[in-house]
Amino acid sequence: MTINKISQNKCFGGSQGVYSHSSPEIGCTMRFGVFMPPQSGNGAPPVPVLYWLSGLTCTEENFVLKAGAQRVAAELGIAIVTPDTSPRGLGLPGEADNYDFGLGAGFYVDATEAPWSRNYRMYSYITQELPWLIAANFSVDPSRAGIFGHSMGGHGALTLALRNPQVYKSVSAFAPICSPMRCPWGEKALSGYLGSNRDKWRDHDATALLEARGWKGPPLLVDQGSRDQFLESQLMPQLLVEACERAGVALDLRMREGYDHSYFFIASFIEDHLRFHARNLRGFGAQAPEPTLAVGGAD
């Protein structure tokens, strides 16, 4: 499958690119970002890869431009893939009417309800098509893949990892929607994409998945700001705590005093998440390359 380079910039000794491709799964052109660290290429072993899932209204650009992740990813020798959050350019009726449903709000599910079912297949796109595309075009090691995300993307990271532990060996989230079945954002999205049968929603709710499947990987890492404007109404981290306790799953929930829902919060703690994933992924597949970049040194 052909990918088209939209932009590519040298960054901390590696490269930050943005690419597009025609997606059979989604049925339109999709964009994604890829940061490749300086340890990749030139005959070096493939590097671990992290998939970042963004939140409502975001594109692939938000994380690339605002998170400040490239410096530490370059040091650790980790690739980061940043897909878009929904199909674009379809012109479906009502697609752009609301910020929390439709355009920019795919919720990382495979829709079953018309008119969304043909194109809004973000679950299969993220778990199947995109990893294949990345492995075919970049020097990454699929056996050392992790996933993380923010808000709607935090929901996506948790649910995709819990459903695919053979694929994702490490998972973390910033301010995730912990139980979409029990918050307004999630109820709107899941009913619109999947219909009114709430039993079908359980495969897209982290708390229900923990109850049904558990998690045998490393502890779940979650950062949550104490002044997040959506904390009580939409995110509800206490529901994740309770679900992990019932399932016997280790959870490292870090309440960050004074932080809100913005990318300033993400940028403040992104290094913790990258180092968390680096530790977890080093034990799988081929031996991870040792860091070689001296940040701030001569080019």
Side-chain angles (χ1 to χ4, degrees), residues 194-214:
L194 304 178
S196 59
N197 184 349
R198 295 176 70 93
D199 287 340
K200 295 181 179 179
W201 301 4
R202 296 182 63 82
D203 275 346
H204 305 283
D205 185 293
T207 64
L209 286 167
L210 284 163
E211 177 183 336
R213 304 184 183 214

Side-chain angles (χ1 to χ4, degrees), residues 16-84:
Q16 175 65 62
V18 176
Y19 307 87
S20 68
H21 73 109
S22 179
S23 168
E25 190 67 64
I26 302 296
C28 67
T29 297
M30 295 293 287
R31 289 166 56 122
F32 60 90
V34 178
F35 174 75
M36 291 300 296
Q39 295 87 343
S40 63
N42 297 320
V47 298
V49 58
L50 285 174
Y51 290 86
W52 170 267
L53 305 185
S54 291
L56 292 167
T57 75
C58 291
T59 70
E60 78 288 342
E61 286 189 339
N62 295 75
F63 183 86
V64 169
L65 298 179
K66 296 180 179 180
Q70 292 93 340
R71 176 184 62 82
V72 179
E75 175 196 333
L76 297 172
I78 295 178
I80 304 178
V81 179
T82 55
D84 203 347

Side-chain angles (χ1 to χ4, degrees), residues 171-191:
V171 57
S172 72
F174 290 85
I177 302 171
C178 293
S179 183
M181 295 176 66
R182 292 179 280 183
C183 76
W185 278 343
E187 289 182 332
K188 181 176 183 177
L190 297 181
S191 62

